[in-house]
Amino acid sequence: MYEGLYAPIPDVDAYLQRLAVGREEVLDKSYLDALIYAHQCRVVFENLDVCRMHKPISLNIGDIFRKVITGGRGGYCFELNALFTQLLKDLGYAAYPCMSRIVRGRDFIPPVLHRGIIVSLEDEMYFCDVGYGGPMPPGAVLIEDGHSAELRGEHFHMRRRDGYWWTVSRTTSSGEREDVLEFYTMPQENVDFITLNEYCSRNEASVFTQRCYINVRTPSGSKSILGDTFTCVEHGDTLQRVIRDDEFDQILECHFGIII
């Protein structure tokens, strides 16, 4: 019944071509980091199907592949991290999904509404994410209490919150520590995300049904749309402006490579 959720990537080479990353014989952390960074730069986090087109979100690997790789679109965590996890597995990495919650900017415990990735590599475990529309680590972060990682000039930190949960935080441009998300390492099945996806894509209380969230990393910063506001960050400088209704599609194509 749920075979499509566990299907292999239809064309691994096409996926890698979309990322502009070649195959490597050695499946080490360096290659993993390169795949993660390329994914964040070339595959846009976006919820256009949910907030503007009101289309159902399929979690079948073949459907996500056609949308993201063949169709040149993006997606949100339940799509992008599902597809990337399967790519890692098809390449030969030991990868599986995990439950996560976004805690950035919140002073309360939010519900678990995010899908992350755990990769086991050389007797170590790493947290990976290519499906969060915010400040993601541009590489894999070692799951070890007190560990800090410098990834492409950004600093991320891992700490154990309790016996089950881990917290990923980052050092902001002002030098402060900011908690980003929490996760636990117990493996999850792909079917476990069906109900969460239904809530996030259909429920009127979901942030994804209320406004657009679009984000992509660039070599010098990032570009994003939040609601009707376009933001471009380059070398630490931020430009921000409100988008007119008649220019939304043009900005999508020009800055995010998405043609609706």
Side-chain angles (χ1 to χ4, degrees):
M1 182 176 181
Y2 299 113
E3 293 85 354
L5 303 176
Y6 297 88
I9 298 296
D11 188 339
V12 170
D13 289 325
Y15 198 150
L16 294 176
Q17 185 176 4
R18 173 90 156 88
L19 302 183
V21 176
R23 284 184 182 263
E24 295 287 346
E25 293 185 4
V26 179
L27 300 179
D28 56 10
K29 186 179 183 298
S30 177
Y31 186 46
L32 177 60
D33 286 348
L35 290 168
I36 293 170
Y37 178 70
H39 211 290
Q40 294 174 5
C41 288
R42 298 183 67 87
V43 180
V44 179
F45 177 95
E46 50 105 334
N47 65 325
L48 293 167
D49 281 354
V50 173
C51 73
R52 289 181 72 90
M53 291 175 276
H54 310 292
K55 296 171 59 177
I57 301 296
S58 172
L59 299 187
N60 286 349
I61 294 299
D63 293 336
I64 306 173
F65 182 88
R66 282 185 287 274
K67 175 182 175 180
V68 175
I69 305 305
T70 306
R73 286 281 305 281
Y76 69 165
C77 73
F78 300 114
E79 299 169 285
L80 300 187
N81 279 338
L83 198 67
F84 190 62
T85 301
Q86 191 60 51
L87 172 68
L88 294 178
K89 292 171 67 175
D90 289 352
L91 288 172
Y93 281 102
Y96 63 84
C98 67
M99 291 291 189
S100 308
R101 67 173 96 244
I102 304 300
V103 297
R104 181 174 181 244
R106 293 172 169 85
D107 58 0
F108 58 91
I109 299 177
V112 173
L113 293 174
H114 185 65
R115 174 176 179 150
I117 305 169
I118 304 293
V119 174
S120 298
L121 185 62
E122 298 175 351
D123 297 324
E124 304 280 8
M125 296 176 66
Y126 293 85
F127 178 81
C128 312
D129 200 327
V130 298
Y132 170 47
M136 294 180 288
V141 181
L142 180 66
I143 303 174
E144 180 181 274
D145 191 30
H147 176 75
S148 293
E150 180 179 356
L151 298 164
R152 298 184 180 271
E154 301 178 48
H155 293 82
F156 290 86
H157 317 279
M158 185 74 64
R159 75 174 186 273
R160 182 188 288 274
R161 199 192 80 181
D162 53 32
Y164 304 97
W165 288 90
W166 294 82
T167 302
V168 177
S169 62
R170 71 177 186 127
T171 301
T172 67
S173 58
S174 62
E176 299 179 350
R177 287 277 184 99
E178 176 187 56
D179 291 345
V180 177
L181 56 82
E182 297 178 345
F183 67 95
Y184 59 75
T185 59
M186 186 179 79
Q188 302 296 146
E189 291 290 344
N190 291 346
V191 295
D192 295 335
F193 298 96
I194 291 177
T195 303
L196 299 180
N197 176 58
E198 285 293 306
Y199 169 83
C200 287
S201 63
R202 294 177 181 268
N203 195 291
E204 63 181 12
S206 166
V207 296
F208 294 115
T209 63
Q210 297 173 16
R211 59 180 176 175
C212 285
Y213 288 84
I214 304 173
N215 183 279
V216 68
R217 183 185 289 277
T218 69
S220 57
S222 65
K223 296 179 180 180
S224 65
I225 294 176
L226 180 57
D228 62 355
T229 301
F230 172 69
T231 301
C232 180
V233 179
E234 287 191 2
H235 304 293
D237 296 326
T238 301
L239 298 174
Q240 195 171 75
R241 68 181 181 88
V242 175
I243 304 170
R244 301 191 313 269
D245 288 341
D246 63 350
E247 64 176 348
F248 188 86
D249 289 351
Q250 180 183 357
I251 288 177
L252 274 184
E253 182 176 355
C254 178
H255 292 280
F256 301 94
I258 295 176
I259 300 175
I260 301 299

